Amino acid sequence: MYLQLDAIGKTYHTRGATVEALRAIDLQVERGQFVAVRGPSGCGKSTLLLIAGGLLSPTRGRVRIGGTDPYALAPNQRSRFRAKHVGFVFQQCHLVPYLSVMDNVLSPALVGNGGAAAERAVELVKRFHIEHRAGHLPSELSSGERQRAALARAMLNSPSLVLADEPTGNLDDENRDNVIGFLRDIAAKGAAVLLVTHDVQAASMADRVVQFPGTP
Ligand SMILES: Nc1ncnc2c1ncn2[C@@H]1O[C@H](COP(=O)(O)OP(=O)(O)OP(=O)(O)O)[C@@H](O)[C@H]1O
Ligand SMILES: [Mg+2]
């Protein structure tokens, strides 16, 4: 199993308050598989995705990405591991505000494969229909364009694990189908893809849908 999450629990401690965001979640995604996660707001989907991507250590349980526990790596090794293997699309996009769309898309190449990166970045901005905005700053884009720029950036290093948090939330039907079609394609080419979505239509295109408790 490429992504293996065993009995994951997460408790946040913030300003005296304790939030138990996840309790004993098990989830597996193989390479070649496209899995969707659905669940009500606040049930812990983003928390789970951050944990799966090596960005937030779990309070309990075990994470393996291709057999590696990212939390057992030293912080700089973990960053390199993530840059090489994990494509992460944040719910809030998190584009670098002072870089153009093209430079945002190219930013993972600072760690990865320099050479073919520029060509790949051009291909990706075309694929996500933001070519005409390549020189613009994130603040000059629509929400849907920002989302597609964040997706393009996540794909630059052809990650073997793709984690996407509501990447179609601001998209019209055509762009949604394009993005979901793209995620299906990269799964078909051998990536393990995990998508968090409220969109029933988007989830219906996954190989498997995992419902968090309380899903309508
Ligand atoms: N950094 C944090 N500190 C404290 N509590 C947090 C933190 N991040 C999330 N939470 C809490 O943990 C729970 C799960 O949050 P999470 O963002 O994972 O939910 P979600 O399922 O992604 O929701 P949504 O569908 O609205 O995006 C929520 O109750 C949230 O308030
Ligand atoms: Mg969320």
Side-chain angles (χ1 to χ4, degrees):
M1 205 52 71
Y2 194 68
L3 173 66
Q4 177 93 30
L5 304 176
D6 297 318
I8 298 295
K10 181 68 186 179
T11 308
Y12 289 110
H13 298 281
T14 318
R15 289 185 297 279
T18 298
V19 178
E20 201 168 347
L22 293 171
R23 272 182 207 138
I25 297 284
D26 298 310
L27 184 67
Q28 293 91 33
V29 188
E30 285 179 62
R31 291 190 73 148
Q33 227 179 20
F34 175 24
V35 176
V37 173
R38 292 187 60 222
S41 181
C43 73
K45 303 179 300 296
S46 294
T47 300
L48 187 71
L49 223 58
L50 291 169
I51 291 171
L55 289 159
L56 177 70
S57 57
T59 313
R60 298 169 296 280
R62 209 178 76 135
V63 177
R64 292 287 183 278
I65 301 170
T68 299
D69 175 354
Y71 301 102
L73 302 173
N76 62 338
Q77 281 182 304
R78 182 156 71 239
S79 300
R80 282 181 171 279
F81 181 82
R82 277 203 317 264
K84 191 161 177 215
H85 300 289
V86 182
F88 203 102
V89 186
F90 294 92
Q91 191 165 13
Q92 316 295 344
C93 296
H94 293 313
L95 294 165
V96 181
Y98 50 84
L99 292 182
S100 70
V101 166
M102 185 53 83
D103 286 344
N104 264 284
V105 173
L106 270 168
S107 59
L110 297 174
V111 188
N113 53 349
E119 218 171 286
R120 170 100 176 129
V122 170
E123 179 195 317
L124 284 165
V125 297
K126 282 188 188 156
R127 181 70 172 78
F128 291 115
H129 306 147
I130 44 169
E131 202 184 357
H132 58 309
R133 294 288 178 266
H136 288 231
L137 294 173
S139 60
E140 298 163 346
L141 305 181
S142 73
S143 311
E145 287 167 347
R146 273 199 285 276
Q147 243 172 359
R148 276 134 57 208
L151 258 157
R153 176 180 62 180
M155 300 306 154
L156 189 80
N157 288 338
S158 304
S160 47
L161 175 63
V162 174
L163 304 167
D165 199 348
E166 285 284 358
T168 61
N170 297 307
L171 302 184
D172 58 29
D173 289 357
E174 188 187 337
N175 276 301
R176 184 215 30 221
D177 291 350
N178 180 38
V179 164
I180 300 297
F182 181 85
L183 294 176
R184 280 182 64 94
D185 282 357
I186 55 170
K189 286 179 189 148
V193 179
L194 186 58
L195 164 76
V196 165
T197 185
H198 286 286
D199 185 337
V200 179
Q201 182 72 29
S204 72
M205 291 166 76
D207 299 320
R208 180 155 58 87
V209 181
V210 176
Q211 311 267 358
F212 267 59
T215 307

